Amino acid sequence: MNNYYYPYYTRAPQDETLITNIAKAINGEYSAVQCYEQLAKMAPSAEVREQISEIRKDEIKHLNTFSQIYQSLTGKQPKPEMSEECPDNFKDGLLASFKDEQETVDFYLDIADSTQNPYIRRVFKRAAADEQNHAVWFLYYMMENR
């Protein structure tokens, strides 16, 4: 038995683009969590407020899951930052949220397609489906609040 001492522990090489994209996804989810809290407070009814709060809960789950993936890939805790400003009125908030959710669907599907890791692929495909569902809700409320 060899008793070689390896002074440096090295992780397997990682796909830097994947890590960068996951960090971007974390920032997007963090921003959505903050903005949807404000949007829910501006909601015109308890029903709308409740639905936006449910969407926010999904975003918190995504944020936590993406953060765990980031930590497992890098060995570091992510440091989420706001990646966009939150509109200060309900109508603009709905429009910004709708557009953001729609763009996020494609971004998450691209992340899923870019990895060989089945867990990461599954997580991002599921998140993309959630984001599409959120976009539909925001579109519905946009139509109601014309």
Side-chain angles (χ1 to χ4, degrees):
M1 183 170 131
N2 291 337
N3 283 331
Y4 293 111
Y5 174 69
Y6 293 98
Y8 303 106
Y9 171 75
T10 57
R11 293 182 164 271
Q14 295 296 332
D15 178 346
E16 289 303 317
T17 301
L18 176 64
I19 291 168
T20 299
N21 283 339
I22 292 172
K24 182 179 174 184
I26 289 167
N27 288 339
E29 293 295 334
Y30 178 78
S31 297
V33 167
Q34 307 308 313
C35 290
Y36 296 169
E37 181 176 22
Q38 290 179 26
L39 191 62
K41 288 176 184 175
M42 294 184 274
S45 70
E47 176 189 331
V48 175
R49 188 169 23 265
E50 190 175 311
Q51 184 59 51
I52 293 171
S53 294
E54 285 299 312
I55 291 170
R56 185 174 179 270
K57 286 179 190 174
D58 286 347
E59 304 295 11
I60 291 169
K61 285 181 203 167
H62 298 163
L63 175 60
N64 291 335
T65 304
F66 298 171
S67 294
Q68 289 169 350
I69 291 169
Y70 182 89
Q71 185 172 7
S72 74
L73 292 175
T74 66
K76 300 174 190 169
Q77 283 278 38
K79 295 181 176 122
E81 299 175 354
M82 288 291 288
S83 57
E84 54 214 52
E85 292 293 314
C86 303
D88 58 2
N89 71 66
F90 189 69
K91 205 170 184 178
D92 290 345
L94 287 176
L95 178 60
S97 298
F98 170 73
K99 287 180 177 180
D100 181 64
E101 296 286 333
Q102 281 292 93
E103 290 168 3
T104 301
V105 171
D106 289 335
F107 180 55
Y108 288 178
L109 289 174
D110 289 344
I111 291 173
D113 289 344
S114 75
T115 183
Q116 297 300 310
N117 182 304
Y119 175 71
I120 295 173
R121 182 179 293 131
R122 190 170 57 251
V123 162
F124 276 90
K125 283 188 176 183
R126 175 57 209 217
D130 289 346
E131 301 298 298
Q132 187 66 65
N133 182 296
H134 301 162
V136 171
W137 277 109
F138 288 129
L139 179 61
Y140 173 71
Y141 293 131
M142 284 169 49
M143 295 293 102
E144 275 196 336
N145 287 283
R146 284 195 272 180

